[in-house]
Amino acid sequence: MRRHLWSLTAASAALATTIALSGCGGAEESSDEVTLRLIAADYDVNGGQSSRNYWSSLIAAFEKEHPRIDVEVTIEPWTDVDRKVARLVEDGKAPDIAQIGSYADYAADGKLYSADQLLSVPVQSNFLRPLVEAGEQRRIQYGLPFATSSRLLFYNKELFAEAGVTEPPETWDELKEAAQQIKDGTDAAYPFALPLGPEEAQIESMLWLLGGGTNGYVEPGGSYTVDSPQNAATFEWLKTDLVGAGLTGPGAPGELNRKEAYAAFTRGEVGMLHGHPSLLKQAKKAGIELGKAPVPGRDGTAKITAGVADWIMGFNQNGNRDEIGEFLNFLFTDENVLDFAAQNDLLPVTSSASQAMEEDPDHDDLKDFLAQMSTALLPPVSKTSWAAVSGDVKEKIGKAVGPDGDPAKVLGEIARTAAEAETQEEEEE
């Protein structure tokens, strides 16, 4: 989730590695043998082999059941994978399958198979409803969710006890009060860590917009409402009551990335922040006693939290529709969905796998995240305009809470980018 959603940003310094796994091979192969080319993102933040091992194992099992289909997978770091796929598509060399951060442009250009062209009815109907809606254009699903996550409020129990905070906050006023107690009563550098840096500012911002009572960046009908009065009021509160009160730690929130905030949390320097499931394991390894609670809102816990998803899709350039479908139907079995989610501290994208994870005591720490996914709201990823809007949010939103920031002005600038991108999208349809 780069996500982009989940927004999930996993970079690897290693060069892309291609794993070529053959089927039966040699002269005994049938004349209708097909080789599928798959490009996938590397989720191993430590530069290890987990993504490569996952795909190697899955493909070997698939090819054993489908001896006439070979699959060649190339693993690319998140920093390169979207750009690599875009370049291949532009050059007329689209892969058969891509597992990347966004699908909308390719769907709008007619380059993808729809879900019902690839998947069996039981598989397609098994996706979580918010992910299906986010994967649709003009009521047709093209984006197939591959991994997802939601967010909760994480807090350091030791710092809470030291500061005399007895309960996690449910409202913004309670959050401010708790942050002030942490500032006054502990040595924590960040009473509340507010990462509005470019890594994932679009998701951090959306959590606050939802807590402010709006639908985030768009109205229910789908039109952008970035600079609504309610959204401006949300960032005015952040600027004045949290950042201006010195409760967000050293440095400007616009220069703090999620990765840095999480690292500070594992060092015991953060009282509270909005947390991704992957932080659970990191905090436990560091010996941090972590508490979880719903994300606070202006008047109470937010009714909806932000969800993030990464996508997998089948390109139609090479015409291997049946073979792509066979592979994707295999990919979305409970065993394979759960295996990937568990390895990467993410959430399953299907209802049956989510239920299985919820019933497994080994995943008790993820149950609060799972409970939110049935109603989570994703950013407007089905819009081809979202790429430009998301980029503008990442670049500018941190300025809204700076000492000289004007939230209404900054949101207005982003809204103009949204309007221009929306107009271009409509003209291209």
Side-chain angles (χ1 to χ4, degrees):
M1 331 200 155
R2 199 170 9 288
R3 285 126 274 88
H4 18 185
L5 134 184
W6 71 254
S7 153
L8 307 167
T9 306
S12 172
L15 295 175
T17 300
T18 299
I19 308 166
L21 298 166
S22 60
C24 295
E28 294 181 0
E29 292 179 350
S30 63
S31 59
D32 61 348
E33 182 179 351
V34 172
T35 297
L36 297 178
R37 292 182 299 126
L38 162 66
I39 295 180
D42 188 353
Y43 283 79
D44 197 317
V45 296
N46 298 314
Q49 297 293 316
S50 65
S51 292
R52 292 165 177 79
N53 293 341
Y54 172 80
W55 287 111
S56 295
S57 177
L58 182 142
I59 290 171
F62 172 78
E63 290 183 341
K64 185 176 181 179
E65 292 185 14
H66 303 80
R68 76 176 192 85
I69 305 175
D70 296 344
V71 181
E72 295 180 353
V73 58
T74 301
I75 310 296
E76 296 279 356
W78 270 116
T79 50
D80 297 331
V81 66
D82 287 274
R83 182 170 58 250
K84 174 73 174 291
V85 171
R87 184 167 62 248
L88 288 171
V89 172
E90 185 177 352
D91 292 343
K93 300 176 182 178
D96 296 287
I97 304 169
Q99 185 273 298
I100 52 179
S102 61
Y103 72 88
D105 286 343
Y106 303 122
D109 291 341
K111 298 183 182 298
L112 302 180
Y113 289 116
S114 62
D116 58 3
Q117 290 177 307
L118 298 173
L119 303 178
S120 68
V121 172
V123 170
Q124 187 179 359
S125 63
N126 196 24
F127 291 125
L128 297 173
R129 173 47 52 183
L131 304 180
V132 173
E133 294 173 353
E136 291 180 339
Q137 280 197 354
R138 298 175 295 278
R139 299 186 182 278
I140 298 174
Q141 185 182 2
Y142 294 95
L144 311 180
F146 179 74
T148 190
S149 66
S150 60
R151 301 291 187 269
L152 291 169
L153 178 75
F154 284 11
Y155 58 95
N156 184 313
K157 289 186 176 182
E158 182 177 345
L159 291 176
F160 262 41
E162 187 178 345
V165 182
T166 57
E167 297 290 341
E170 296 183 358
T171 68
W172 289 353
D173 286 343
E174 290 175 0
L175 185 148
K176 177 183 178 181
E177 181 180 353
Q180 188 66 57
Q181 287 180 251
I182 292 169
K183 179 182 179 180
D184 295 340
T186 77
D187 293 329
Y190 301 86
F192 185 95
L194 182 65
L196 292 177
E199 180 185 348
E200 204 187 40
Q202 79 283 12
I203 300 302
E204 180 70 24
S205 298
M206 186 172 173
L207 288 165
W208 289 100
L209 298 181
L210 294 174
T214 72
N215 210 48
Y217 299 105
V218 297
E219 63 183 6
S223 299
Y224 284 105
T225 54
V226 179
D227 61 342
S228 69
Q230 298 96 319
N231 286 348
T234 291
F235 272 86
E236 190 63 50
W237 186 90
L238 280 173
K239 176 181 183 298
T240 303
D241 287 62
L242 211 59
V243 181
L247 301 177
T248 55
E255 297 175 1
L256 179 66
N257 281 320
R258 186 188 71 169
K259 183 178 180 180
E260 297 160 356
Y262 283 12
F265 190 90
T266 63
R267 295 193 300 267
E269 299 173 2
V270 175
M272 298 174 283
L273 50 62
H274 293 141
H276 179 282
S278 65
L279 184 54
L280 294 173
K281 187 179 294 184
Q282 297 174 37
K284 184 177 181 180
K285 185 177 180 180
I288 302 297
E289 191 175 1
L290 177 153
K292 306 189 301 292
V295 173
R298 182 182 294 277
D299 301 314
T301 55
K303 296 179 181 178
I304 303 174
T305 191
V308 183
D310 299 327
W311 306 93
I312 192 165
M313 60 214 71
F315 284 87
N316 55 28
Q317 176 183 308
N318 303 314
N320 296 321
R321 169 182 160 183
D322 291 344
E323 292 78 13
I324 294 171
E326 288 186 64
F327 180 77
L328 292 175
N329 279 295
F330 182 84
L331 173 69
F332 286 116
T333 60
D334 281 356
E335 179 183 359
N336 292 325
V337 171
L338 283 168
D339 189 21
F340 184 84
Q343 284 184 26
N344 294 279
D345 299 308
L346 296 169
L347 305 181
V349 296
T350 64
S351 297
S352 57
S354 295
Q355 182 176 351
M357 179 176 276
E358 185 174 2
E359 294 171 353
D360 186 344
D362 288 342
H363 298 297
D364 281 347
D365 56 351
L366 293 176
K367 288 183 178 180
D368 292 335
F369 293 99
L370 288 167
Q372 296 187 113
M373 283 310 302
S374 61
T375 58
L377 184 68
L378 275 73
V381 293
S382 63
K383 290 175 169 288
T384 59
S385 56
W386 173 241
V389 177
S390 176
D392 217 35
V393 172
K394 292 178 181 181
E395 178 185 350
K396 296 176 179 177
I397 199 65
K399 300 174 184 176
V401 299
D404 300 320
D406 183 336
K409 181 180 179 181
V410 172
L411 291 175
E413 292 174 358
I414 298 171
R416 285 191 290 276
T417 296
E420 292 169 2
E422 189 89 323
T423 298
Q424 182 177 352
E425 179 179 350
E426 292 172 353
E427 291 174 347
E428 292 175 350
E429 288 183 353

